[in-house]
Amino acid sequence: PVAPPAVPALPCAAVSPRDCHDVHAGGAQSDGVYLVYPMGPGLPVPVYCDMSTDGHVWTVFQKRFNGSVSFFRGWNDYRYGFGRADGEYWLGEVT
């Protein structure tokens, strides 16, 4: 089993952010992995938040940088996601 990525604590105002914009509005300023709750407070999803590119906040759904994760995959892998938000990954659908 692979351990989940470390996720920084957020201020109380951002306990259940729905996306990276909410994470930023709650006080986070650094790029990194955060838990968001797009389906509500019961289902956290680790995502990479880019808070430094072009002066905007981005929820990253695909990240590649060194080829450590193969992206040569079938449809189900893309549908449900693969990799880890603290490395190379494809977010997939959130259900």
Side-chain angles (χ1 to χ4, degrees):
V2 177
V7 178
L10 295 174
C12 284
V15 171
S16 295
R18 294 186 62 95
D19 57 23
C20 290
H21 185 276
D22 288 351
V23 170
H24 184 263
Q29 301 293 312
S30 300
D31 294 353
V33 178
Y34 296 89
L35 289 178
V36 297
Y37 301 81
M39 302 300 290
L43 183 65
V45 176
V47 299
Y48 189 86
C49 296
D50 178 338
M51 300 189 195
S52 60
T53 300
D54 294 332
H56 297 284
V57 177
W58 306 91
T59 301
V60 178
F61 68 89
Q62 183 253 334
K63 185 169 67 158
R64 293 196 76 178
F65 55 89
N66 67 8
S68 63
V69 173
S70 172
F71 276 59
F72 185 69
R73 297 169 175 260
W75 165 246
N76 277 338
D77 284 342
Y78 280 93
R79 180 176 182 188
Y80 297 112
F82 56 87
R84 291 172 39 138
D86 62 343
E88 294 194 337
Y89 85 118
W90 178 270
L91 182 59
E93 72 179 37
V94 178
T95 57

Coordinates of all heavy atoms in Angstrom, one line a residue:
P1 N 0.8 -1.2 0.0 CA 0.0 0.0 0.0 C 0.9 1.3 0.0 O 1.9 1.3 0.7 CB -0.8 -0.1 1.3 CG -0.5 -1.4 1.9 CD 0.6 -2.0 1.2
V2 N 0.4 2.2 -0.7 CA 1.1 3.5 -0.8 C 0.5 4.5 0.2 O -0.7 4.6 0.2 CB 1.1 4.1 -2.2 CG1 1.7 5.4 -2.3 CG2 1.7 3.1 -3.2
A3 N 1.3 5.1 1.0 CA 0.8 6.1 2.0 C 0.2 7.3 1.3 O 0.8 7.7 0.2 CB 1.9 6.5 2.9
P4 N -0.8 7.9 1.8 CA -1.4 9.1 1.2 C -0.4 10.2 1.3 O 0.4 10.2 2.2 CB -2.7 9.3 1.9 CG -2.5 8.6 3.2 CD -1.6 7.5 3.0
P5 N -0.5 11.2 0.4 CA 0.4 12.4 0.6 C 0.1 13.2 1.8 O -1.0 13.2 2.3 CB 0.1 13.2 -0.7 CG -1.2 12.8 -1.1 CD -1.4 11.4 -0.7
A6 N 1.2 13.8 2.4 CA 1.0 14.7 3.5 C 0.2 15.9 3.1 O 0.4 16.4 2.0 CB 2.4 15.1 4.1
V7 N -0.7 16.3 3.9 CA -1.6 17.4 3.5 C -1.5 18.4 4.6 O -1.8 18.1 5.8 CB -3.1 16.9 3.3 CG1 -4.0 18.1 3.0 CG2 -3.1 15.9 2.2
P8 N -1.2 19.7 4.3 CA -1.1 20.7 5.4 C -2.5 21.0 6.0 O -3.5 20.9 5.3 CB -0.5 21.9 4.6 CG -0.8 21.7 3.2 CD -0.9 20.2 3.0
A9 N -2.4 21.4 7.2 CA -3.7 21.8 7.9 C -4.1 23.2 7.3 O -3.3 24.0 6.9 CB -3.4 22.0 9.4
L10 N -5.4 23.4 7.3 CA -6.0 24.6 6.8 C -6.6 25.4 8.0 O -7.0 24.8 9.0 CB -7.1 24.3 5.8 CG -6.6 23.7 4.5 CD1 -7.8 23.3 3.6 CD2 -5.6 24.6 3.7
P11 N -6.7 26.7 7.8 CA -7.4 27.5 8.8 C -8.9 27.0 9.0 O -9.5 26.4 8.1 CB -7.4 28.9 8.3 CG -6.3 28.9 7.2 CD -6.2 27.5 6.7
C12 N -9.5 27.2 10.2 CA -10.8 26.8 10.4 C -11.8 27.2 9.4 O -12.8 26.5 9.1 CB -11.3 27.3 11.8 SG -10.5 26.4 13.2
A13 N -11.7 28.4 8.8 CA -12.6 28.9 7.8 C -12.7 28.1 6.6 O -13.6 28.1 5.8 CB -12.3 30.4 7.5
A14 N -11.6 27.2 6.3 CA -11.6 26.4 5.1 C -11.6 25.0 5.4 O -10.9 24.2 4.8 CB -10.3 26.8 4.3
V15 N -12.4 24.5 6.4 CA -12.4 23.1 6.8 C -12.9 22.2 5.7 O -12.4 21.1 5.5 CB -13.3 23.0 8.0 CG1 -13.5 21.5 8.3 CG2 -12.7 23.7 9.2
S16 N -13.9 22.6 4.8 CA -14.3 21.8 3.7 C -14.3 22.6 2.4 O -15.3 22.8 1.8 CB -15.8 21.4 4.0 OG -15.8 20.5 5.1
P17 N -13.1 22.9 1.9 CA -13.0 23.7 0.7 C -13.4 22.8 -0.5 O -13.1 21.6 -0.5 CB -11.5 24.0 0.6 CG -10.8 23.0 1.4 CD -11.8 22.7 2.5
R18 N -14.2 23.3 -1.4 CA -14.6 22.6 -2.6 C -13.6 22.5 -3.7 O -13.7 21.6 -4.5 CB -16.0 23.1 -3.1 CG -17.1 23.0 -2.1 CD -18.4 23.4 -2.6 NE -18.9 22.6 -3.7 CZ -19.7 21.5 -3.6 NH1 -20.1 21.1 -2.5 NH2 -20.0 20.9 -4.7
D19 N -12.7 23.4 -3.7 CA -11.6 23.4 -4.8 C -10.5 24.3 -4.3 O -10.5 24.8 -3.1 CB -12.2 24.0 -6.1 CG -12.8 25.4 -6.0 OD1 -12.4 26.1 -5.0 OD2 -13.6 25.8 -6.8
C20 N -9.4 24.4 -5.1 CA -8.2 25.2 -4.7 C -8.5 26.6 -4.4 O -7.9 27.3 -3.6 CB -7.1 25.0 -5.7 SG -6.5 23.3 -5.7
H21 N -9.5 27.2 -5.1 CA -9.9 28.6 -4.9 C -10.3 28.8 -3.4 O -9.9 29.7 -2.7 CB -11.0 29.1 -5.8 CG -11.3 30.5 -5.7 ND1 -12.2 31.0 -4.8 CD2 -10.8 31.6 -6.4 CE1 -12.3 32.3 -4.8 NE2 -11.5 32.7 -5.8
D22 N -11.2 27.8 -2.9 CA -11.6 27.9 -1.6 C -10.4 27.7 -0.6 O -10.4 28.3 0.5 CB -12.7 26.8 -1.3 CG -14.0 27.1 -1.9 OD1 -14.2 28.2 -2.4 OD2 -14.9 26.2 -1.9
V23 N -9.5 26.8 -0.9 CA -8.3 26.6 -0.1 C -7.5 27.9 0.0 O -7.2 28.3 1.1 CB -7.4 25.5 -0.7 CG1 -6.0 25.4 0.0 CG2 -8.1 24.1 -0.7
H24 N -7.3 28.6 -1.1 CA -6.6 29.9 -1.1 C -7.4 30.9 -0.3 O -6.8 31.7 0.5 CB -6.4 30.3 -2.5 CG -5.6 31.6 -2.6 ND1 -6.2 32.8 -2.8 CD2 -4.3 31.8 -2.6 CE1 -5.3 33.8 -2.8 NE2 -4.1 33.2 -2.8
A25 N -8.7 31.0 -0.5 CA -9.6 31.9 0.3 C -9.5 31.7 1.8 O -9.7 32.6 2.6 CB -11.0 31.9 -0.2
G26 N -9.2 30.4 2.2 CA -9.1 30.0 3.6 C -7.8 30.4 4.2 O -7.5 30.1 5.4
G27 N -6.8 30.9 3.4 CA -5.6 31.4 3.9 C -4.3 30.7 3.4 O -3.2 31.2 3.6
A28 N -4.5 29.6 2.7 CA -3.3 28.9 2.1 C -2.7 29.8 1.0 O -3.4 30.3 0.2 CB -3.6 27.5 1.6
Q29 N -1.4 29.9 0.9 CA -0.7 30.7 -0.1 C 0.3 29.9 -0.9 O 0.8 30.4 -1.9 CB 0.0 31.8 0.6 CG -0.9 32.7 1.4 CD -1.8 33.5 0.6 OE1 -1.4 34.1 -0.4 NE2 -3.1 33.5 0.9
S30 N 0.7 28.7 -0.5 CA 1.7 28.0 -1.2 C 1.2 26.9 -2.1 O 0.2 26.2 -1.8 CB 2.6 27.3 -0.2 OG 3.2 28.2 0.7
D31 N 1.9 26.6 -3.2 CA 1.6 25.5 -4.1 C 1.8 24.2 -3.3 O 2.6 24.1 -2.4 CB 2.6 25.4 -5.3 CG 2.5 26.6 -6.2 OD1 1.6 27.4 -6.1 OD2 3.4 26.6 -7.1
G32 N 0.9 23.2 -3.5 CA 1.1 22.0 -2.8 C -0.2 21.1 -2.9 O -1.2 21.5 -3.5
V33 N -0.1 20.0 -2.1 CA -1.3 19.1 -2.1 C -2.2 19.5 -0.9 O -1.7 19.7 0.2 CB -0.8 17.6 -1.9 CG1 -2.0 16.7 -1.7 CG2 0.1 17.2 -3.0
Y34 N -3.5 19.6 -1.2 CA -4.5 20.0 -0.2 C -5.7 19.0 -0.4 O -5.9 18.5 -1.5 CB -4.9 21.4 -0.4 CG -3.9 22.4 -0.1 CD1 -3.0 22.9 -1.2 CD2 -3.6 23.0 1.1 CE1 -2.0 23.8 -1.0 CE2 -2.7 23.9 1.4 CZ -1.9 24.3 0.3 OH -0.9 25.2 0.5
L35 N -6.4 18.8 0.7 CA -7.7 18.1 0.6 C -8.8 19.0 0.2 O -8.9 20.1 0.8 CB -8.0 17.4 1.9 CG -7.1 16.2 2.3 CD1 -7.5 15.7 3.7 CD2 -7.1 15.1 1.3
V36 N -9.6 18.7 -0.8 CA -10.8 19.4 -1.2 C -11.9 18.5 -1.1 O -11.8 17.2 -1.1 CB -10.6 20.0 -2.6 CG1 -9.5 21.1 -2.6 CG2 -10.5 19.0 -3.7
Y37 N -13.1 19.0 -1.0 CA -14.3 18.2 -0.8 C -15.4 18.6 -1.8 O -16.4 19.2 -1.5 CB -14.9 18.5 0.6 CG -13.9 18.2 1.7 CD1 -12.9 19.0 2.1 CD2 -14.0 16.9 2.4 CE1 -12.0 18.7 3.0 CE2 -13.1 16.6 3.4 CZ -12.1 17.5 3.7 OH -11.2 17.1 4.7
P38 N -15.2 18.3 -3.1 CA -16.1 18.7 -4.2 C -17.5 18.1 -4.0 O -18.4 18.6 -4.6 CB -15.4 18.2 -5.5 CG -14.4 17.1 -5.0 CD -14.0 17.5 -3.6
M39 N -17.6 17.0 -3.3 CA -18.9 16.3 -3.2 C -19.5 16.5 -1.8 O -20.4 15.9 -1.4 CB -18.8 14.8 -3.5 CG -18.3 14.5 -4.8 SD -19.3 15.1 -6.2 CE -20.7 14.1 -6.0
G40 N -18.9 17.4 -1.0 CA -19.3 17.7 0.4 C -18.3 17.2 1.4 O -17.3 16.5 1.0
P41 N -18.6 17.4 2.7 CA -17.6 17.1 3.7 C -17.2 15.7 3.9 O -16.3 15.4 4.6 CB -18.3 17.7 5.0 CG -19.7 17.9 4.6 CD -19.8 18.0 3.2
G42 N -18.0 14.7 3.4 CA -17.7 13.3 3.6 C -16.7 12.7 2.7 O -16.2 11.6 3.0
L43 N -16.3 13.3 1.6 CA -15.4 12.6 0.7 C -14.2 13.5 0.3 O -14.3 14.3 -0.7 CB -16.2 12.3 -0.6 CG -15.5 11.5 -1.7 CD1 -15.0 10.1 -1.2 CD2 -16.3 11.3 -2.9
P44 N -13.1 13.5 1.1 CA -12.0 14.3 0.7 C -11.2 13.8 -0.5 O -11.1 12.6 -0.7 CB -11.1 14.3 2.0 CG -11.5 13.0 2.6 CD -12.9 12.8 2.3
V45 N -10.7 14.7 -1.3 CA -9.9 14.3 -2.5 C -8.6 15.1 -2.4 O -8.6 16.3 -2.4 CB -10.6 14.6 -3.8 CG1 -9.8 14.3 -5.0 CG2 -11.9 13.9 -3.8
P46 N -7.4 14.4 -2.4 CA -6.1 15.1 -2.4 C -5.9 15.7 -3.8 O -6.0 14.9 -4.8 CB -5.1 14.1 -2.0 CG -5.7 12.8 -2.3 CD -7.2 13.0 -2.2
V47 N -5.6 17.0 -4.0 CA -5.3 17.6 -5.3 C -4.1 18.5 -5.1 O -3.8 18.9 -4.0 CB -6.5 18.4 -5.8 CG1 -7.7 17.5 -6.1 CG2 -6.9 19.6 -4.9
Y48 N -3.5 18.7 -6.2 CA -2.4 19.7 -6.2 C -2.9 21.1 -6.6 O -3.6 21.2 -7.6 CB -1.3 19.3 -7.3 CG -0.1 20.1 -7.1 CD1 0.9 19.8 -6.2 CD2 0.1 21.3 -7.9 CE1 2.1 20.6 -6.1 CE2 1.2 22.1 -7.7 CZ 2.2 21.7 -6.8 OH 3.3 22.5 -6.7
C49 N -2.7 22.0 -5.7 CA -3.1 23.4 -5.9 C -1.9 24.3 -6.4 O -0.9 24.3 -5.6 CB -3.7 24.0 -4.7 SG -5.3 23.2 -4.1
D50 N -2.0 24.9 -7.5 CA -1.0 25.8 -8.0 C -1.5 27.2 -7.7 O -2.5 27.7 -8.3 CB -0.8 25.6 -9.5 CG 0.2 26.5 -10.1 OD1 0.4 27.6 -9.6 OD2 0.7 26.2 -11.2
M51 N -0.8 27.9 -6.8 CA -1.3 29.2 -6.4 C -0.3 30.3 -6.8 O -0.4 31.4 -6.3 CB -1.4 29.2 -4.9 CG -2.4 28.2 -4.4 SD -2.8 28.4 -2.7 CE -3.6 26.9 -2.3
S52 N 0.6 29.9 -7.7 CA 1.7 30.9 -8.1 C 1.7 31.2 -9.6 O 2.4 32.1 -10.0 CB 3.0 30.4 -7.6 OG 3.3 29.2 -8.2
T53 N 1.1 30.4 -10.5 CA 1.2 30.6 -11.9 C 0.2 31.7 -12.4 O -1.0 31.6 -12.1 CB 0.9 29.3 -12.7 OG1 1.9 28.3 -12.2 CG2 1.0 29.5 -14.2
D54 N 0.7 32.7 -13.0 CA 0.0 33.8 -13.7 C -1.0 34.5 -12.7 O -2.0 35.1 -13.1 CB -0.9 33.2 -14.8 CG 0.0 32.7 -16.0 OD1 1.1 33.2 -16.2 OD2 -0.5 31.8 -16.7
G55 N -0.6 34.5 -11.4 CA -1.4 35.3 -10.5 C -2.8 34.7 -10.2 O -3.7 35.4 -9.7
H56 N -3.0 33.4 -10.5 CA -4.3 32.8 -10.3 C -4.2 31.6 -9.5 O -3.0 31.1 -9.2 CB -4.9 32.3 -11.7 CG -5.2 33.5 -12.6 ND1 -6.3 34.3 -12.4 CD2 -4.6 34.0 -13.7 CE1 -6.3 35.2 -13.4 NE2 -5.2 35.0 -14.2
V57 N -5.3 31.0 -9.1 CA -5.3 29.7 -8.3 C -5.8 28.6 -9.2 O -6.9 28.8 -9.8 CB -6.1 29.9 -7.0 CG1 -6.2 28.5 -6.3 CG2 -5.6 31.0 -6.1
W58 N -5.1 27.5 -9.3 CA -5.5 26.4 -10.2 C -5.6 25.1 -9.5 O -4.8 24.8 -8.7 CB -4.4 26.3 -11.3 CG -4.1 27.5 -12.0 CD1 -3.1 28.4 -11.7 CD2 -4.7 28.0 -13.2 NE1 -3.1 29.4 -12.7 CE2 -4.1 29.2 -13.6 CE3 -5.8 27.5 -14.0 CZ2 -4.4 29.9 -14.7 CZ3 -6.1 28.3 -15.1 CH2 -5.5 29.5 -15.5
T59 N -6.7 24.4 -9.7 CA -6.8 23.0 -9.3 C -6.2 22.1 -10.4 O -6.8 22.1 -11.5 CB -8.3 22.6 -9.0 OG1 -8.8 23.5 -8.0 CG2 -8.4 21.2 -8.5
V60 N -5.1 21.5 -10.2 CA -4.4 20.8 -11.2 C -5.0 19.4 -11.3 O -5.1 18.6 -10.4 CB -2.9 20.7 -10.8 CG1 -2.1 19.9 -11.9 CG2 -2.3 22.1 -10.7
F61 N -5.4 19.0 -12.5 CA -6.0 17.7 -12.8 C -5.0 16.7 -13.4 O -5.2 15.5 -13.4 CB -7.3 17.7 -13.5 CG -7.2 18.2 -14.9 CD1 -7.0 17.3 -16.0 CD2 -7.3 19.5 -15.3 CE1 -6.8 17.7 -17.3 CE2 -7.2 19.9 -16.6 CZ -7.0 19.0 -17.6
Q62 N -3.9 17.3 -14.0 CA -2.9 16.5 -14.6 C -1.6 17.1 -14.4 O -1.4 18.3 -14.6 CB -3.2 16.3 -16.1 CG -2.2 15.4 -16.9 CD -1.2 16.2 -17.7 OE1 -1.4 17.3 -18.2 NE2 0.0 15.6 -17.9
K63 N -0.6 16.3 -13.9 CA 0.7 16.8 -13.6 C 1.8 15.8 -14.0 O 1.7 14.6 -13.6 CB 0.9 17.1 -12.1 CG 2.2 17.8 -11.8 CD 2.2 18.3 -10.3 CE 2.1 17.2 -9.3 NZ 2.6 17.6 -8.0
R64 N 2.7 16.2 -14.9 CA 3.8 15.3 -15.3 C 5.0 16.2 -15.2 O 5.0 17.3 -15.6 CB 3.6 14.9 -16.8 CG 2.4 13.9 -16.9 CD 2.5 13.2 -18.2 NE 3.5 12.2 -18.1 CZ 3.8 11.3 -19.0 NH1 3.1 11.4 -20.2 NH2 4.7 10.4 -18.9
F65 N 6.1 15.6 -14.8 CA 7.4 16.3 -14.8 C 8.6 15.4 -14.9 O 9.7 16.0 -15.3 CB 7.5 17.2 -13.5 CG 7.3 16.4 -12.2 CD1 8.4 15.8 -11.6 CD2 6.1 16.3 -11.7 CE1 8.2 15.1 -10.4 CE2 5.9 15.6 -10.5 CZ 7.0 15.0 -9.9
N66 N 8.6 14.1 -14.7 CA 9.8 13.3 -14.8 C 9.6 11.9 -15.4 O 10.5 11.2 -15.5 CB 10.5 13.2 -13.5 CG 9.7 12.4 -12.4 OD1 8.7 11.8 -12.7 ND2 10.2 12.4 -11.2
G67 N 8.4 11.6 -15.8 CA 8.1 10.3 -16.4 C 8.0 9.1 -15.5 O 8.0 8.0 -15.9
S68 N 8.0 9.4 -14.2 CA 7.9 8.3 -13.2 C 6.6 7.5 -13.2 O 6.6 6.4 -12.7 CB 8.2 8.8 -11.8 OG 7.2 9.7 -11.4
V69 N 5.6 8.1 -13.7 CA 4.3 7.4 -13.9 C 4.0 7.3 -15.3 O 4.0 8.2 -16.1 CB 3.2 8.2 -13.1 CG1 1.8 7.6 -13.4 CG2 3.5 8.2 -11.6
S70 N 3.6 6.1 -15.7 CA 3.2 5.8 -17.1 C 1.8 6.4 -17.4 O 0.9 6.1 -16.6 CB 3.3 4.3 -17.5 OG 2.7 4.1 -18.8
F71 N 1.7 7.2 -18.4 CA 0.4 7.7 -18.8 C -0.2 6.9 -20.0 O -1.2 7.3 -20.6 CB 0.5 9.2 -19.2 CG 0.4 10.1 -17.9 CD1 1.3 10.0 -16.9 CD2 -0.6 11.0 -17.8 CE1 1.2 10.8 -15.8 CE2 -0.7 11.8 -16.7 CZ 0.2 11.7 -15.7
F72 N 0.5 5.8 -20.4 CA 0.0 4.9 -21.4 C -0.9 3.9 -20.8 O -0.5 2.9 -20.3 CB 1.2 4.2 -22.1 CG 0.8 3.4 -23.3 CD1 0.3 4.0 -24.5 CD2 0.8 2.0 -23.2 CE1 -0.1 3.2 -25.6 CE2 0.5 1.3 -24.3 CZ 0.0 1.9 -25.5
R73 N -2.2 4.3 -20.7 CA -3.2 3.6 -20.0 C -4.5 3.5 -20.7 O -4.7 4.2 -21.6 CB -3.4 4.2 -18.6 CG -2.2 4.3 -17.7 CD -2.4 5.2 -16.5 NE -1.3 5.1 -15.6 CZ -1.2 4.3 -14.5 NH1 -2.3 3.6 -14.2 NH2 -0.2 4.3 -13.8
G74 N -5.4 2.7 -20.2 CA -6.7 2.5 -20.7 C -7.7 3.6 -20.2 O -7.4 4.3 -19.2
W75 N -8.9 3.6 -20.7 CA -9.9 4.6 -20.4 C -10.2 4.6 -18.9 O -10.4 5.6 -18.3 CB -11.2 4.4 -21.2 CG -12.4 5.1 -20.7 CD1 -13.5 4.5 -20.1 CD2 -12.5 6.5 -20.5 NE1 -14.3 5.5 -19.7 CE2 -13.8 6.7 -19.9 CE3 -11.7 7.6 -20.9 CZ2 -14.3 8.0 -19.7 CZ3 -12.2 8.9 -20.6 CH2 -13.5 9.0 -20.0
N76 N -10.4 3.4 -18.3 CA -10.8 3.4 -16.9 C -9.8 4.0 -15.9 O -10.2 4.7 -15.0 CB -11.1 1.9 -16.4 CG -12.4 1.4 -16.7 OD1 -13.4 2.3 -17.0 ND2 -12.6 0.2 -16.8
D77 N -8.5 3.9 -16.2 CA -7.5 4.6 -15.4 C -7.7 6.1 -15.5 O -7.6 6.8 -14.5 CB -6.1 4.2 -15.9 CG -5.7 2.9 -15.4 OD1 -6.3 2.3 -14.5 OD2 -4.7 2.3 -16.0
Y78 N -8.0 6.6 -16.7 CA -8.2 8.1 -16.9 C -9.5 8.5 -16.2 O -9.6 9.5 -15.6 CB -8.2 8.5 -18.3 CG -6.7 8.6 -18.8 CD1 -6.1 7.6 -19.4 CD2 -6.0 9.8 -18.6 CE1 -4.7 7.7 -19.8 CE2 -4.7 10.0 -19.0 CZ -4.1 8.9 -19.6 OH -2.8 9.1 -20.0
R79 N -10.5 7.6 -16.3 CA -11.8 7.9 -15.7 C -11.7 8.1 -14.2 O -12.2 9.0 -13.6 CB -12.8 6.9 -16.1 CG -14.2 7.2 -15.5 CD -15.2 6.2 -15.9 NE -16.5 6.6 -15.3 CZ -17.6 5.8 -15.4 NH1 -17.6 4.7 -16.0 NH2 -18.7 6.3 -14.8
Y80 N -11.0 7.1 -13.6 CA -11.0 7.1 -12.1 C -9.7 7.7 -11.5 O -9.6 7.9 -10.3 CB -11.1 5.7 -11.6 CG -12.5 5.1 -12.0 CD1 -12.6 4.1 -12.9 CD2 -13.7 5.6 -11.5 CE1 -13.8 3.6 -13.3 CE2 -14.9 5.2 -11.8 CZ -15.0 4.1 -12.7 OH -16.2 3.7 -13.1
G81 N -8.7 8.0 -12.3 CA -7.5 8.7 -11.9 C -6.4 7.7 -11.5 O -6.7 6.5 -11.2
F82 N -5.2 8.2 -11.5 CA -4.1 7.4 -11.1 C -2.9 8.3 -10.7 O -2.9 9.5 -10.9 CB -3.6 6.5 -12.3 CG -3.3 7.2 -13.6 CD1 -2.1 7.7 -13.8 CD2 -4.3 7.4 -14.5 CE1 -1.8 8.4 -15.0 CE2 -4.0 8.0 -15.7 CZ -2.8 8.5 -16.0
G83 N -1.9 7.7 -10.1 CA -0.8 8.4 -9.5 C -1.1 9.0 -8.2 O -2.1 8.7 -7.6
R84 N -0.3 10.0 -7.8 CA -0.5 10.7 -6.5 C -0.4 12.1 -6.7 O 0.5 12.6 -7.4 CB 0.5 10.2 -5.5 CG 0.3 8.7 -5.0 CD 1.4 8.3 -4.2 NE 1.9 9.3 -3.2 CZ 2.3 9.0 -2.0 NH1 2.2 7.8 -1.5 NH2 2.7 10.0 -1.2
A85 N -1.2 12.9 -6.0 CA -1.2 14.4 -6.1 C 0.2 15.0 -5.8 O 0.5 16.1 -6.2 CB -2.3 15.0 -5.3
D86 N 1.0 14.3 -5.0 CA 2.3 14.8 -4.6 C 3.4 14.4 -5.6 O 4.5 14.6 -5.4 CB 2.7 14.5 -3.2 CG 2.8 13.0 -2.9 OD1 2.3 12.2 -3.8 OD2 3.4 12.6 -1.9
G87 N 3.0 13.8 -6.7 CA 3.9 13.4 -7.7 C 3.2 13.5 -9.1 O 2.4 14.4 -9.2
E88 N 3.5 12.6 -10.0 CA 2.8 12.7 -11.3 C 1.4 12.0 -11.1 O 1.3 11.0 -10.5 CB 3.6 11.9 -12.4 CG 4.9 12.6 -12.7 CD 5.5 12.1 -13.9 OE1 5.2 11.0 -14.4 OE2 6.3 12.8 -14.5
Y89 N 0.4 12.7 -11.7 CA -1.0 12.1 -11.6 C -2.0 12.6 -12.6 O -1.7 13.7 -13.2 CB -1.5 12.3 -10.1 CG -2.2 13.6 -9.8 CD1 -3.5 13.6 -9.4 CD2 -1.5 14.8 -9.8 CE1 -4.1 14.8 -9.1 CE2 -2.1 16.0 -9.5 CZ -3.5 16.0 -9.1 OH -4.1 17.1 -8.8
W90 N -3.1 11.9 -12.7 CA -4.3 12.3 -13.4 C -5.4 12.3 -12.4 O -5.6 11.2 -11.8 CB -4.5 11.4 -14.6 CG -5.8 11.7 -15.3 CD1 -7.0 11.3 -15.1 CD2 -5.9 12.6 -16.4 NE1 -7.9 11.8 -16.0 CE2 -7.2 12.7 -16.8 CE3 -5.0 13.4 -17.1 CZ2 -7.7 13.5 -17.9 CZ3 -5.4 14.2 -18.2 CH2 -6.8 14.2 -18.5
L91 N -6.1 13.3 -12.2 CA -7.1 13.4 -11.1 C -8.3 12.5 -11.3 O -8.7 11.8 -10.4 CB -7.6 14.9 -11.0 CG -8.6 15.1 -9.9 CD1 -8.1 14.7 -8.5 CD2 -9.1 16.6 -9.9
G92 N -8.8 12.4 -12.5 CA -10.0 11.5 -12.8 C -11.3 12.2 -12.2 O -11.3 13.3 -11.7
E93 N -12.4 11.4 -12.4 CA -13.6 12.0 -11.9 C -13.8 11.8 -10.4 O -13.2 10.9 -9.8 CB -14.8 11.3 -12.6 CG -15.1 9.9 -12.2 CD -16.3 9.3 -12.9 OE1 -16.5 9.6 -14.1 OE2 -17.0 8.5 -12.3
V94 N -14.5 12.7 -9.8 CA -14.8 12.6 -8.4 C -16.2 12.2 -8.2 O -17.1 12.8 -8.7 CB -14.5 14.0 -7.7 CG1 -14.9 14.0 -6.3 CG2 -13.1 14.5 -8.0
T95 N -16.4 11.0 -7.6 CA -17.7 10.5 -7.4 C -18.0 10.3 -5.9 O -17.2 10.2 -5.1 CB -17.9 9.2 -8.1 OG1 -17.0 8.2 -7.7 CG2 -17.8 9.3 -9.6

